[in-house]
Amino acid sequence: MDQKINVYIWDMDETLILLKSLLNGTYAEAFNGLKNIQEGVEIGKMWEKHILALCDDHFFYEQIENCNKPSLDALSQYDDGGNLSDYDFNQDGFGPPYDDSNNIKLAYRHRFIAHRYKQGLHSFLNQEMIKDLDELYDMTDKYTDRWLSSARIFLEECSAGHKKTSLVAADGIKSSASKYQHINLLVTSGSLIPSLVKCLLFRLDNMITDENVYSSWEVGKLQCFQQIKVRFDHPNVRFCVIGDGWEECEAAQAMRWPLVKIDMRPGGSHRFPGLTSRTLGFYFSVVYGSSDAEDEEE
């Protein structure tokens, strides 16, 4: 009961990944001529192509593009648990009007998407495509001075970092328990399905589970944050928002949660590489007190 839970609420674009700033050249422009702007644009276009192809070919995006929901669990009450192994998604008549019957069909699609997300890219892409994606990832990571890999490593640290405490039972036997549990959530202004696909393509799916991906496209970030607060409603839960946009800044302020604002400009500490557990610990201490702030470095 004394275990603390740290919930990290991440933005995606220009925080955990770089994409929009590659496509519009703003990432390269910040380097004052040291980066080839067109190279970044071309890299961004390649990612855009793969994202759209995976959405349409493997995640029903053409069918459900106009049915964006805040999360894959949003319609869980409509899912009757029916067997989908032989279900034909192309012949079930899904489409407007989006009544209860079609909500069941959409909930089926969400369950299928969640399963596919859990299985990972290797479960439905061939080795040639996996190789192409690996090469694009490495190319992007090199161009961005290891932004992608640094963000991923930091996310892994947030997922696994904890402080062990020794417990002595009545029989005198010692055991250890985690003093901290760390949970990564994603709240993105993009629509849900492309955001899940980005998590897969940019190797974030092992640290951010399908039920922890939220889309604020329809409802706004503040409402997503309020839903998260209800979901993790406990005195020992602490929240921290990490992102670069104005909307999460305003939403974090409204929730009175600490915000780490990402700055893409080179040389800063609030970027990747650069951001550290010690920095997050400082922001936690400002809002929640400093007694355990040093433990955030774990």
Side-chain angles (χ1 to χ4, degrees):
M1 294 299 293
D2 292 330
Q3 186 185 57
K4 289 184 173 66
I5 300 176
N6 291 333
V7 178
Y8 306 98
I9 302 172
W10 296 89
D11 183 32
M12 176 171 274
D13 288 299
E14 282 52 62
T15 298
L16 287 174
I17 72 170
L18 296 176
L19 183 57
K20 292 178 182 176
S21 61
L22 297 181
L23 287 165
N24 63 25
T26 55
Y27 173 78
E29 288 169 359
F31 287 82
N32 296 318
L34 297 177
K35 295 280 185 185
N36 185 319
I37 295 176
Q38 189 57 36
E39 181 182 354
V41 171
E42 293 303 319
I43 290 173
K45 286 180 178 179
M46 285 188 280
W47 279 118
E48 202 171 42
K49 178 182 176 182
H50 285 300
I51 291 166
L52 292 174
L54 259 66
C55 285
D56 290 341
D57 296 344
H58 301 282
F59 291 91
F60 309 114
Y61 195 51
E62 287 188 11
Q63 295 181 8
I64 65 177
E65 182 177 2
N66 296 321
C67 308
N68 190 65
K69 299 297 178 183
S71 68
L72 290 179
D73 292 335
L75 295 177
S76 58
Q77 72 270 25
Y78 290 97
D79 191 340
D80 57 14
N83 187 349
L84 301 180
S85 57
D86 295 320
Y87 189 86
D88 191 343
F89 289 100
N90 292 317
Q91 299 295 328
D92 66 349
F94 174 74
Y98 297 110
D99 51 16
D100 285 355
S101 174
N102 277 295
N103 280 335
I104 293 171
K105 297 167 187 175
L106 181 56
Y108 284 172
R109 285 161 171 78
H110 282 182
R111 173 150 56 98
F112 182 90
I113 289 167
H115 176 75
R116 176 152 283 183
Y117 183 94
K118 289 181 176 74
Q119 295 296 310
L121 293 177
H122 288 81
S123 68
F124 59 90
L125 294 182
N126 60 46
Q127 288 302 309
E128 183 179 356
M129 177 58 70
I130 293 292
K131 181 174 179 291
D132 289 344
L133 292 171
D134 287 345
E135 290 175 354
L136 179 56
Y137 185 96
D138 292 340
M139 181 194 309
T140 311
D141 205 38
K142 181 179 179 181
Y143 178 80
T144 61
D145 302 322
R146 298 186 300 108
W147 186 292
L148 300 184
S149 58
S150 297
R152 187 174 180 274
I153 290 169
F154 190 78
L155 202 60
E156 288 176 340
E157 293 174 357
C158 290
S159 300
H162 57 265
K163 183 180 178 67
K164 293 286 187 179
T165 56
S166 295
L167 304 177
V168 181
D171 56 7
I173 298 175
K174 286 187 176 182
S175 63
S176 63
S178 297
K179 187 175 180 181
Y180 293 103
Q181 180 183 357
H182 299 263
I183 301 172
N184 289 303
L185 306 182
L186 183 73
V187 179
T188 173
S189 57
S191 50
L192 183 61
I193 303 308
S195 298
L196 289 161
V197 168
K198 287 180 185 178
C199 284
L200 288 166
L201 289 173
F202 287 94
R203 307 177 183 178
L204 306 176
D205 51 305
N206 287 336
M207 287 79 69
I208 302 176
T209 57
D210 59 276
E211 66 269 19
N212 287 340
V213 178
Y214 292 82
S215 167
S216 64
W217 180 273
E218 303 284 348
V219 299
K221 293 210 170 184
L222 179 58
Q223 185 169 323
C224 286
F225 287 8
Q226 290 168 338
Q227 291 174 359
I228 290 166
K229 179 67 167 64
V230 172
R231 178 182 168 190
F232 295 96
D233 187 21
H234 192 278
N236 285 347
V237 177
R238 310 189 297 181
F239 301 90
C240 185
V241 180
I242 307 103
D244 75 306
W246 63 268
E247 192 180 4
E248 56 257 24
C249 292
E250 292 187 353
Q253 185 176 19
M255 299 298 293
R256 297 183 179 179
W257 291 346
L259 169 83
V260 180
K261 193 164 191 314
I262 297 297
D263 185 353
M264 286 190 304
R265 291 175 297 181
S269 60
H270 289 50
R271 67 189 307 278
F272 293 108
L275 191 61
T276 65
S277 298
R278 186 180 184 89
T279 302
L280 287 193
F282 169 77
Y283 281 91
F284 269 119
S285 69
V286 168
V287 174
Y288 296 104
S290 58
S291 60
D292 289 322
E294 64 275 9
D295 292 331
E296 301 307 322
E297 297 178 41
E298 294 295 321

